[in-house]
Amino acid sequence: MASSQFDLLRLTATEAARLLDARTTTSVELVKAYLAQIDAHNHSGLKLNALISAAPADLLIATARKLDQERSSGSRRSSLHGIPFVCKDVFVTHPSLGLPTTAGAPCFQTAVARRTSPVIEHLLRMGMILIGKANMTEFCGLKTPDHTTGWSPTGGQTQSPYVFGGLEEGEKVIGHSSPGGSSSGSASAVAAGFVPLSIGTEVCNSIVTPASRAGLYALKCGNETVNGDGCFGFSKHLDCIGGMSKSVEDLAVLISALLQRENPFDLGNRCCDGVRIAFTELEGWIWPDRACSWPGDTLLQMDNCHAETASKLKSLGSQVTENVNLPTPWAEFEMDGENMFTEISLFEFVNERLPAFINEFNPCEVRSLAEIVAYNEQNRDICMPRGHEGQTDLTNLVGAARDGANQKAMLAEMRRRGKLALDKVLEDHDVIASIADGPLPMYAAAAGCPIACVPLGLVKYSDENKRPYGLSLTAGKGQEGKLLRFMAAFESAFPSRPLPQPLLQWRDTSD
């Protein structure tokens, strides 16, 4: 099959695997097709800036050829053998892969990783092909409160493949034209047909929001279920790893791989009958106006779809509770006047996670937070260009003492509050659902539970533009399988995920 025959905006990993198994195509042909799409629209064409780096083409083709030869000789490492993917640029990768690791920051561009992070190494052993590193919010958003989501000095501004004209000037933190939180490149890359699968990380919303904005299926695994060694992040108690895809079947295979399960998740009968679902209301569970404006009837559009979704699930035999009694989490996670997420994250970041990340490299131009701050000042034109000035989050952390005992107490209290709130609802329900443009991931993060996202619809927010939005879903700790089964039932009952019109239009005019 020639590269031009792949419909990369629709092709799933599962479909690609079937083509490979049937000898209808090869991994070499897949890699060439994806590289052509990346070349056409990452820094050219629509200039999506979804990837910070792509591995050298000759290296990727050699890897794909080796995997094709293994398949031809009767050896298939896994169902993901020969399937390309990208990971957020927070996972260290050995120089042999041809990909630097930057966390979006120029100070790490020349750093040489001693190894590949264990979770990525595991996927490579399964026969997957790491095509590139996805763009992200620099340092996962820890630099300045004014950071644009999806922007990094090393990758530029990640753009949504669904939005004509890209990020609007003066856009709010999570406004409609934004691609979403720090794993934005991972989402845009899949939606734009750069790869069928991607890996991201999240504390709160960093996977769910970008996946929702890209019309994808996504799941962030529960706390400490996936090996996070060799990964930039804030806290081992809060940062979690997850995946994004165009289908639930793809996602189930990828999450099984991340969790290193011997057997893939069983998606059941893909039927909604008997599933017990608790819906939060829209009011109070959607981004406030300071984060995202809601012009015209945008809120009404989403509210109507929210209600129609609940009604359809009822008609399909689900037991649906609407406006469930779950307090909004905005003020639930404050203690002694401090935000628990912030205090726990910053303490662990300064004392544990950042030093561990820096120690993954030899050589490295910076060896401490103070040296990172100094590097940024010395290279302001690159690190803090016009429109992206400042690093107050980092400077405030230098030399700021924090009480470890206090952070431990906060973590215990955060876990208690999160688990208590979710357990009350999950006693009588299988899944809690809320609009993905909102704070349900805070509860999941606090309790250490998995959280997922399914595409729901398109909201028209201007004369020219519509953008996707979805539902966020959470269940109890260790219930990734339960979420995937519900997602599969949802996928079978609801319309197909939307495709990005700017790319469809570009393709039509190019043909």
Side-chain angles (χ1 to χ4, degrees), residues 38-352:
I38 291 166
D39 186 59
H41 291 295
N42 194 46
H43 297 313
S44 302
L46 294 182
K47 299 180 179 178
L48 299 176
N49 295 327
L51 300 185
I52 285 178
S53 60
D58 56 350
L59 179 61
L60 290 171
I61 291 169
T63 300
R65 184 172 291 116
K66 179 177 181 245
L67 290 165
D68 284 335
Q69 290 168 350
E70 289 181 15
R71 186 186 296 274
S72 295
S73 66
S75 175
R76 193 184 75 150
R77 302 186 193 183
S78 73
S79 61
L80 292 170
H81 185 107
I83 301 296
F85 75 110
V86 299
C87 66
K88 186 176 180 177
D89 196 14
V90 292
F91 298 92
V92 295
T93 45
H94 190 269
S96 60
L97 294 175
L99 293 163
T101 305
T102 72
C107 62
F108 291 114
Q109 277 189 300
T110 60
V112 178
R114 303 171 190 265
R115 61 168 178 168
T116 295
S117 69
V119 64
I120 301 302
E121 185 63 43
H122 175 68
L123 298 180
L124 297 177
R125 286 197 302 270
M126 293 182 70
M128 297 189 74
I129 303 170
L130 181 59
I131 276 190
K133 296 289 199 65
N135 200 6
M136 54 182 286
T137 314
E138 184 184 10
F139 287 139
C140 298
L142 183 65
K143 187 178 182 184
T144 168
D146 302 321
H147 236 327
T148 305
T149 54
W151 180 83
S152 72
T154 58
Q157 177 62 56
T158 308
Q159 303 288 358
S160 167
Y162 289 84
V163 174
F164 289 98
L167 187 74
E168 295 176 2
E169 187 175 353
E171 181 63 280
K172 292 188 176 181
V173 175
I174 199 69
H176 295 290
S177 66
S178 168
S182 72
S183 298
S184 53
S186 298
S188 288
V190 174
F194 290 2
V195 282
L197 300 170
S198 68
I199 310 298
T201 61
E202 170 174 320
V203 171
C204 296
N205 291 98
S206 295
I207 288 175
V208 167
T209 300
S212 168
R213 296 291 175 97
L216 299 177
Y217 296 91
L219 193 151
K220 180 199 81 170
C221 301
N223 184 244
E224 296 190 85
T225 56
V226 181
N227 189 342
D229 290 351
C231 177
F232 177 91
F234 299 152
S235 163
K236 70 176 182 179
H237 298 107
L238 293 174
D239 286 271
C240 299
I241 295 168
M244 307 184 197
S245 68
K246 300 187 190 79
S247 75
V248 179
E249 189 173 8
D250 277 14
L251 189 63
V253 174
L254 180 58
I255 297 301
S256 296
L258 290 175
L259 295 174
Q260 299 193 28
R261 289 172 56 92
E262 289 187 11
N263 299 307
F265 284 105
D266 178 6
L267 296 179
N269 60 10
R270 306 191 187 216
C271 178
C272 297
D273 186 42
V275 180
R276 303 171 301 164
I277 312 160
F279 276 83
T280 70
E281 58 188 340
L282 195 69
E283 185 177 355
W285 284 90
I286 200 162
W287 299 126
D289 190 67
R290 66 179 180 274
C292 180
S293 299
W294 299 96
D297 66 350
T298 49
L299 280 179
L300 181 61
Q301 292 176 51
M302 296 177 82
D303 198 16
N304 287 342
C305 187
H306 199 243
E308 289 166 5
T309 301
S311 178
K312 182 171 182 176
L313 287 168
K314 286 180 184 178
S315 72
L316 293 170
S318 297
Q319 299 175 36
V320 176
T321 301
E322 296 184 70
N323 302 330
V324 67
N325 184 23
L326 181 67
T328 55
W330 306 112
E332 286 293 304
F333 299 105
E334 292 187 3
M335 182 175 172
D336 300 328
E338 302 288 352
N339 180 279
M340 294 179 178
F341 287 99
T342 300
E343 292 304 305
I344 293 165
S345 294
L346 295 185
F347 178 82
E348 290 192 35
F349 173 75
V350 171
N351 293 287
E352 299 172 13

Side-chain angles (χ1 to χ4, degrees), residues 401-416:
R402 279 182 160 78
D403 182 356
N406 187 46
Q407 311 313 312
K408 188 175 181 180
M410 275 195 173
L411 176 63
E413 180 61 14
M414 181 187 71
R415 286 280 188 256
R416 188 192 70 81

